[in-house]
Amino acid sequence: MALNLDSKKVVVEEVAEFAAKAHSAIAAEYRGLTVTELTELRKTARETGVYLRVVKNTLAKRAVVGTEFECMQEGLVGPLILAFSMEDPGCAARLVHEFAKTHKNLIAKVVAIGGQAFDGSELERLAKLPTRDQGISMLMSVMKAPVEKLARTLAALRDEREAA
């Protein structure tokens, strides 16, 4: 179905709005996926805080102008689905990576984060980033380790003095 000018402007504004707020973006080729598989992907995206949209490449290029994803314009070629991470930088990458394990027709073409575009082969690295909660947990365990070591040392000194 062809879009008129007003419809195109609405699509560009919507995608630009999400692109401005997103942490990272993935452009993946979906050629060969069935409607059922795309519906399953969209459902999973909604559940994981990922904005997913199939949009014409010319409209996508206009939508990312002025955002940190402007760098991915050259890679927007062919039938692509855009996934924007709204929760944490790795959630779109995890979605595409996990879905591509069981659906070989979903192929990451461009991965963008922090104003830099990378080849689709970098998808796995981004997918392995910890979630926000996992990152906080890792930081807290690192901060807690010296305190625990001090407590163990003081307890050992106390036990040593009591034994003497």
Side-chain angles (χ1 to χ4, degrees), residues 36-47:
T36 307
E37 292 169 334
L38 279 173
T39 304
E40 179 186 338
L41 179 62
R42 285 185 174 110
K43 180 179 181 256
T44 308
R46 278 190 300 274
E47 294 169 353

Side-chain angles (χ1 to χ4, degrees), residues 2-20:
L3 297 173
N4 62 26
L5 184 60
D6 291 333
S7 299
K8 289 178 182 179
K9 286 180 181 178
V10 169
V11 169
V12 169
E13 287 174 14
E14 180 185 334
V15 174
E17 181 183 326
F18 282 97

Side-chain angles (χ1 to χ4, degrees), residues 12-25 49-51 63-69 83-89 91 112-114:
V12 169
E13 287 174 14
E14 180 185 334
V15 174
E17 181 183 326
F18 282 97
K21 297 176 189 172
H23 298 286
S24 66
V50 175
Y51 173 76
V64 297
V65 169
T67 68
E68 67 178 83
F69 306 115
F84 291 100
S85 294
M86 305 310 289
E87 300 292 322
D88 64 80
C91 60
I113 185 170

Side-chain angles (χ1 to χ4, degrees), residues 53-90:
R53 181 78 191 246
V54 174
V55 62
K56 292 183 180 217
N57 294 333
T58 52
L59 299 180
K61 287 176 183 178
R62 289 183 182 180
V64 297
V65 169
T67 68
E68 67 178 83
F69 306 115
E70 195 167 354
C71 58
M72 65 189 298
Q73 285 184 328
E74 290 180 18
L76 299 178
V77 179
L80 299 176
I81 191 164
L82 295 177
F84 291 100
S85 294
M86 305 310 289
E87 300 292 322
D88 64 80

